[in-house]
Structure formats: C-alpha cells, structure tokens
Amino acid sequence: MSGRSPQGAERTAARRSDPASRSAPEETPRRAPGPGGTAPATKPRNGTGTGTRRPALLTTALVAVLALLALVSAGTGAYDIPLGDVLASVQHHLGLGGAPLDRVGESVLWNVRLPRVVLALLVGAGLGCAGALMQGVFGNPLAEPGVIGISAGAAVGAVAAIGLGLSFFGNWTITVCAFVAGLITVSSVYLLSRNGGRTEVVTLILTGIAVNAFAGALIGLFVFFADSGQVNQITFWQLGSLAQATWPKVLAVLPCAVAGLLIAPLYSRRLDLLSLGERPARHLGIDVERLRLSLILVVALLTAAAVAVAGVITFIGLLVPHLLRMANGPGHRFLVPGSALAGAVVLVAGDLAARTIAQPAELPLGVLTALLGSPFFFWLLRRTRRKQGGWA
C-alpha cells in the first residue's frame, strides 16, 4: 500500500489541474505553428528590415530632389537656360564632354547662378544640421538657432564688423566676428534657460525673445551711426538674401560649413544616448557637459558661416528636423545628415521661389522663410503644449 493519504492525493491532483500552480516553462506561451507546421520566423530587429531601408530611401530621394532643384535653379531666371544646356556646360567644365554655352550664357551660369546655388546649398545644409543639433543638445523640439537668438547674435557680430570697418582677418573678418558673437549668444541662452539641471521650453523661448530684442537694438544702433553704404550692407543682413553670392564668398564659407557638417554626424550616437536623459547618459559613459559644449561650438560654427554670407534666415533649423522625425523617427544617425540634405533642398527651393515669384523684383529670402515657417512654429508650439498638458 502506498503511504499517501486520500487527502494528500486530492491535493496533488488539484495542484496539477490548477493553472496557477504550473511551473514557469509551462506558463510560457508558444507561438502558433504556421501553415507548414513550423513556427513562423520573427522579423529581424537589425539588418535589412524596413527600419534600415527607409533611411536609405529617404536619403536617395533627398539627393535626387536636391540635384534636380540645383539644375533647375541654375537655369531659371531672367535669362533662361534649358536644362540640357546646363548639363552640357557642367560636363564641359568637368572634362566629361558636353559643350559650352554662348558667351552670355556661360557668364550668367558660372558667374551668377551657380555661385548662388552652391551658396544656398551650403547655407541650407548648415542651418538644417544646426537645428537638429540644437534640438538634440537642449532636449526639446522648439530649439532652433533663429528662435533662440543665435542667428541674431551672429548677425550683430557681422554688422559690427561692417559698421566699425573691421578688417583684421581680411576676408575672414565678418565670419570670425559672426562666429564669436554667435558663440556668446548660444552660451548665454543655454545658461539662462537651465533650471534645476534641465532646460525648460518656456524659459528657452522667452530667453530667445529677449536676446533677439537686444540684438535688434544693437543692430539699430549700428544703423543709426552708419553711412549710406554701410546701411545697405546692414539691411542685407537683417532681411537675409543670396543676391550677392560670388565664388569668393562661397570659398570663404566653405571651410566652416564643411568642417561643421563633417563633425556633426560623429555625435549621432551620443545624442541618441542623451535623449534618454542626462542621468542615464552619464551612467552609459557620456560626459554630458563636454558633449553639449562641443555641439554648441559646432552649432555656432554652422550658424556663423550661414549668417556671414546670407544674413538672418530663420525657421530652416526648426522645420526641417521635425519633418524628418515625422518621416523616420527621432534617431540621430539619420536625422543629423538628413537634416543637412533637407535643409539644402528647402533653401535652394526657397531661393528659386524668391527669385521668380515677383519677377523682375526679388523677395528677401529671410522674409520668405519667416512667412512660411512662422505658421509651422505656431502649430508646433500648440502641439507641444497640448501634449505636455500646459506650461504650468
């Protein structure tokens, strides 16, 4: 006879029939077999999935649109040049065949149009990339070089160089002055907008408003004391334009823009870690303050380079990163270089519109971008406020 009592046998049977008393392996749900009797394979998290195809497709599309817009912009204007002739002339100058245009066409294309297209590409790429970096550094979607006063501060440096007749760095004087003023501005905004170890959205915007107002007052003083020639130059910085684009200006801004655009993607992984929060980023080995200081220098370099040759052009750095986030998510590995490409696309298209909408007159490029960007900023402000449940 077994030594187990009837009551013990009943308790054992109850435990076997009770789902709560089963072991962990028995509780683990099993994947239902597929039609062939085998469990369906799971989608890979990395590799050639949709998450890696989409950035490649977006990058290819942006490059194709940018190339097409550049060619169309180079051929469109008061003196129209067919697209095929533009391609033939470019191929001829590159030694790839093709044929040159007539004397007037060559002069218009290579001395007027192409410097302007290349300058729009560099300025747009710099502003778009700077906007993505600013939003990653400050950790909020409303940061942008123009909104928080960096563009205006850099313009003060450029206007001061014009108004005071400074020339201690030759052709680089305006760029250097714009860079120093932009760095001072972004550092001031960063320090004033921090509270309790984090950057508040409202404080950031209000600080930017104050900095923009102060910068406007300084520019007004320089206008008051400037002569007529200097006033025309200062007006150019206030409105933003690429009408005075030349190859020497392209060469002056090229090193700053290229250096900033090459350095920025190197910080993509650290920006992704910083988006988790300051404390988790520190636990993962990120020197947060050093990272922010480095990126602030890069943002000041890109913004100063843009302002030094094109004046104040706002909202590119705010609008472009948000459109890319909507298309591909917040990952900075694509967002930073993608914002540079998309910024170039937006500014080349904006410059083309500024030249052609009101022919024979030309709209100021900074005014046009502000007219289009302001409604987007208003929508974004309301959307952010609604998601956070108010500012209080």
Side-chain angles (χ1 to χ4, degrees):
M1 266 182 81
S2 173
R4 182 182 300 173
S5 65
Q7 292 83 1
E10 291 174 359
R11 286 196 297 269
T12 301
R15 282 198 302 269
R16 289 176 179 174
S17 62
D18 186 7
S21 64
R22 292 176 184 173
S23 61
E26 293 178 349
E27 291 177 350
T28 303
R30 298 180 180 271
R31 186 180 299 274
T38 59
T42 58
K43 293 183 179 180
R45 295 181 181 271
N46 299 311
T48 59
T50 304
T52 57
R53 288 200 302 266
R54 182 176 295 177
L57 292 175
L58 288 174
T59 301
T60 303
L62 287 172
V63 171
V65 172
L66 180 59
L68 180 60
L69 274 175
L71 292 173
V72 172
S73 181
T76 304
Y79 185 90
D80 283 328
I81 303 174
L83 183 60
D85 292 345
V86 173
L87 286 172
S89 180
V90 171
Q91 290 175 348
H92 175 74
H93 280 265
L94 294 177
L96 301 176
L101 305 175
D102 56 64
R103 183 176 59 85
V104 176
E106 285 284 302
S107 178
V108 169
L109 179 62
W110 289 95
N111 297 329
V112 179
R113 300 274 176 78
L114 286 180
R116 186 162 182 163
V117 170
V118 173
L119 202 59
L121 190 152
L122 291 174
V123 171
L127 292 177
C129 183
L133 294 178
M134 285 291 297
Q135 293 172 13
V137 167
F138 286 105
N140 69 75
L142 299 177
E144 192 263 346
V147 172
I148 64 174
I150 302 177
S151 297
V156 170
V159 168
I162 296 171
L164 299 176
L166 302 179
S167 60
F168 45 84
F169 284 113
N171 293 334
W172 294 86
T173 303
I174 295 178
T175 303
V176 170
C177 292
F179 172 73
V180 173
L183 180 60
I184 293 173
T185 303
V186 71
S187 301
S188 302
V189 171
Y190 173 70
L191 293 174
L192 293 173
S193 61
R194 288 182 65 81
N195 183 27
R198 64 188 183 91
T199 304
E200 295 182 340
V201 174
V202 175
T203 307
L204 185 75
I205 297 174
L206 294 178
T207 304
I209 292 173
V211 169
N212 276 311
F214 184 69
L218 291 179
I219 293 174
L221 283 176
F222 284 114
V223 171
F224 180 77
F225 289 108
D227 57 34
S228 58
Q230 292 172 336
V231 168
N232 291 333
Q233 286 184 285
I234 292 173
T235 303
F236 160 77
W237 299 108
Q238 288 179 294
L239 298 179
S241 175
L242 298 174
Q244 300 179 14
T246 58
W247 287 118
K249 287 191 175 183
V250 172
L251 293 177
V253 73
L254 186 63
C256 297
V258 171
L261 292 173
L262 290 178
I263 293 172
L266 302 178
Y267 290 92
S268 298
R269 178 180 174 274
R270 278 168 279 186
L271 282 173
D272 286 336
L273 296 178
L274 183 61
S275 65
L276 301 175
E278 291 189 18
R279 183 173 296 177
R282 288 193 180 96
H283 287 312
L284 292 171
I286 301 298
D287 188 340
V288 175
E289 295 305 320
R290 183 177 179 181
L291 173 63
R292 282 181 169 156
L293 180 60
S294 300
L295 290 178
I296 283 172
L297 289 172
V298 175
V299 169
L301 181 65
L302 290 171
T303 306
V307 171
V309 295
V312 179
I313 299 176
T314 56
F315 291 105
I316 298 294
L318 177 68
L319 186 146
V320 167
H322 277 283
L323 295 179
L324 292 183
R325 283 194 188 93
M326 293 176 185
N328 190 67
H332 288 86
R333 186 177 179 183
F334 168 75
L335 184 64
V336 173
S339 295
L341 282 174
V345 169
V346 170
L347 203 62
V348 170
D351 183 59
L352 177 61
R355 290 193 290 111
T356 57
I357 286 178
Q359 282 185 335
E362 180 176 324
L363 295 176
L365 184 56
V367 173
L368 184 62
T369 58
L371 286 174
L372 297 177
S374 297
F376 180 84
F377 177 71
F378 178 72
W379 169 80
L380 181 63
L381 191 64
R382 289 181 59 86
R383 177 173 176 265
T384 303
R385 182 179 183 273
R386 186 172 60 252
K387 290 177 66 176
Q388 293 184 359
W391 301 124

